[in-house]
């Protein structure tokens, strides 16, 4: 085969992640997706020599760079600003991804309306809905503002024309997978199209110092659809999460060039729109005033925000050879390990019993700090006694029956003390670094035996009621 024939050999590229190979394969070597590798034309060959271009602006000492151009500007939505680090930076490109129907468009329409209410000119470009459909949603959530401009376009050239004609202070693209460029082959949402559209919008954002918010789709496994390079190009990547059966929605920063990625924004999605939840502490508590067997409160850390969460357990004698273990909102493997430690180290036999462990309000308590609360809830349900009023349990349970400290215990205790809890059980080795939070009695336990004893203090038995 001649060198010319080898040079004209076509290249094959994955439509999901952009990985390329010289030969066709059934499975992508990068993202492991099946049936996504297609022929993408002839690979460019031959050496390329970069040519120097005239300087647009000379290099200058870093101390002479004006930092005011990169200051945060609040969007008017407090929880969204919390995740971004204080607001949106001029020229920044933010990618907001989430499952269909979770409320991405509703959130960004509310952000656009509040920015327009503050005097900014906002351009909202929709490629998934018509202008009249967006108008109806804006009426429903109260987002009609004179400074909010709406355009229903799917062509990149037309979108760039709208940007040049209106010179907005904020640009929202819903979504980046629906915009296509006539200069690139392929349909909208393909690897080449998404890369071209994102590069063009990022170039506009950096040149005009216009902040841009892009809506991104996700695949069935929860990752952002399109080439992986999209996440590297943008400045901030946020994940919008939520259960469709619950009003609670959360925004997490996966990448943030201007701030931390350990903040979480909480929202409530209702028929009248989306609302910020500055204090979501009571969402994951049942609200029962009287203690109930099988319940224990713990505190999880979601980023830097403490979330009091109620763990509920139910045990039931079964005649089946294999007892059932059902969990919701907790790590099933850690529940099984906790049950094994209870049987081996604390003498709490749960064999021959169906055990159900769940959280309240759809919360997710997956960190090891919830082990102690799970153990106390199971023991309370198994022995049919109520834990002491106002009790919180925080700590990891080891396989030897010992208790290990959790990260940020002082922050967790301060939150539950603010909510009125009066007693907390923590591992004895926990270093609180200072005085105890006011209004809460902290009990240090070295193992499960001491923790169970402290949880039973002052209990009163409840007679068993048959259904």
């Amino acid at each position: 085969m001649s060198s010319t024939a080898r040079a004209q050999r076509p290249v094959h590229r994955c439509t999901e992640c952009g990985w390329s190979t010289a030969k066709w394969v059934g499975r992508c070597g990068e993202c492991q997706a099946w049936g996504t590798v297609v022929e993408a034309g002839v690979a460019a060959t031959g050496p390329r020599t970069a040519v120097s271009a005239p300087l647009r602006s000379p290099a200058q000492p870093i101390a002479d760079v004006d930092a005011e151009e990169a200051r945060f500007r609040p969007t008017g939505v407090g929880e969204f600003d919390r995740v971004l680090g204080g607001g949106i930076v001029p020229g920044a490109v933010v990618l907001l991804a989430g499952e269909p129907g979770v409320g991405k468009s509703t959130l960004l329409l509310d952000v656009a309306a509040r920015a327009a209410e503050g005097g900014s000119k906002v351009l909202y470009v929709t490629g998934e809905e018509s202008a009249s459909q967006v108008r109806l949603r804006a009426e429903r959530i109260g987002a009609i503002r004179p400074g909010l401009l709406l355009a229903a376009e799917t062509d990149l050239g037309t979108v760039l024309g709208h940007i040049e004609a209106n010179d907005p202070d904020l640009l929202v693209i819903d979504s980046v997978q629906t915009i296509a460029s006539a200069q690139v082959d392929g349909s909208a949402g393909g690897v080449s199209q998404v890369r071209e559209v994102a590069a063009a919008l990022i170039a506009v954002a950096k040149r005009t110092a216009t902040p841009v918010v892009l809506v991104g789709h996700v695949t069935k496994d929860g990752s952002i659809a399109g080439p992986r390079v999209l996440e590297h190009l943008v400045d901030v990547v946020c994940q919008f999460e939520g259960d469709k059966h619950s009003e609670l929605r959360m925004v997490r920063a996966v990448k943030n060039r201007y701030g931390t990625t350990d903040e979480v924004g909480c929202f409530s999605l209702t028929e009248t729109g989306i609302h910020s939840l500055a204090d979501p502490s009571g969402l994951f508590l049942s609200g029962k005033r009287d203690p109930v067997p099988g319940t224990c409160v713990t505190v999880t850390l979601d980023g830097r925000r403490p979330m009091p969460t109620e763990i509920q357990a139910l045990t039931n004698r079964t005649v089946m050879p294999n007892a059932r273990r059902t969990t919701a909102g907790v790590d099933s493997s850690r529940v099984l390990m906790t049950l094994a430690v209870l049987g081996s180290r604390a003498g709490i036999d749960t064999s021959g019993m169906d055990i159900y462990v769940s959280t309240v309000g759809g919360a997710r308590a997956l960190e090891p700090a919830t082990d102690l609360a799970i153990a106390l809830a199971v023991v309370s349900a198994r022995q049919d006694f109520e834990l002491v009023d106002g009790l919180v349990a925080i700590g990891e349970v080891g396989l030897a029956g010992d208790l290990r400290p959790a990260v940020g215990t002082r922050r967790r205790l301060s939150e539950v003390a603010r909510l009125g809890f009066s007693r907390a059980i923590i591992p004895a080795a926990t270093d609180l670094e200072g005085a105890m939070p006011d209004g809460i009695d902290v009990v240090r336990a070295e193992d499960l035996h001491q923790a169970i004893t402290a949880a039973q203090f002052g209990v009163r038995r409840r007679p068993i009621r048959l259904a």
Side-chain angles (χ1 to χ4, degrees), residues 40-70:
V42 179
T45 59
R48 295 184 179 182
T49 304
V51 180
S52 61
L55 297 178
R56 295 182 178 178
S57 60
Q60 55 182 326
I62 189 171
D64 297 339
V65 177
D66 186 10
E68 292 299 325
E69 297 181 359

Side-chain angles (χ1 to χ4, degrees), residues 135-152:
R135 165 63 189 267
L136 290 177
R137 186 168 69 251
E139 289 181 349
R140 177 171 55 85
I141 67 175
I144 303 295
R145 299 292 185 276
L148 177 55
L149 308 179
L150 181 62

Side-chain angles (χ1 to χ4, degrees), residues 206-235:
K206 303 305 180 184
R207 185 179 70 251
T208 62
T210 302
V212 179
V213 182
L214 306 176
V215 175
H217 296 166
V218 297
T219 59
K220 60 182 179 181
D221 60 350
S223 60
I224 299 176
R228 194 71 178 183
V229 70
L230 176 62
E231 300 177 50
H232 295 284
L233 290 175
V234 300
D235 301 307

Side-chain angles (χ1 to χ4, degrees), residues 255-268:
K255 169 188 175 182
N256 192 351
R257 289 174 177 168
Y258 310 109
T260 63
T261 57
D262 56 358
E263 286 287 1
V264 179
C266 297
F267 300 87
S268 175

Side-chain angles (χ1 to χ4, degrees), residues 66-149:
D66 186 10
E68 292 299 325
E69 297 181 359
R71 297 296 183 187
F72 291 107
R73 298 180 182 178
T75 63
V77 181
E79 291 299 293
F80 194 50
D81 291 340
R82 174 198 291 267
V83 178
L84 296 178
I88 193 166
V89 175
V93 181
V94 180
L95 177 63
L96 180 65
E99 296 182 354
V102 74
K104 303 183 298 295
S105 300
T106 303
L107 172 62
L108 292 186
L109 188 59
D110 183 60
V111 170
R114 292 181 182 273
E117 187 178 7
S120 300
K121 182 189 293 186
V122 183
L123 177 59
Y124 189 101
V125 180
T126 175
E128 300 180 344
E129 301 174 281
S130 65
S132 58
Q133 290 175 325
V134 178
R135 165 63 189 267
L136 290 177
R137 186 168 69 251
E139 289 181 349
R140 177 171 55 85
I141 67 175
I144 303 295
R145 299 292 185 276
L148 177 55
L149 308 179

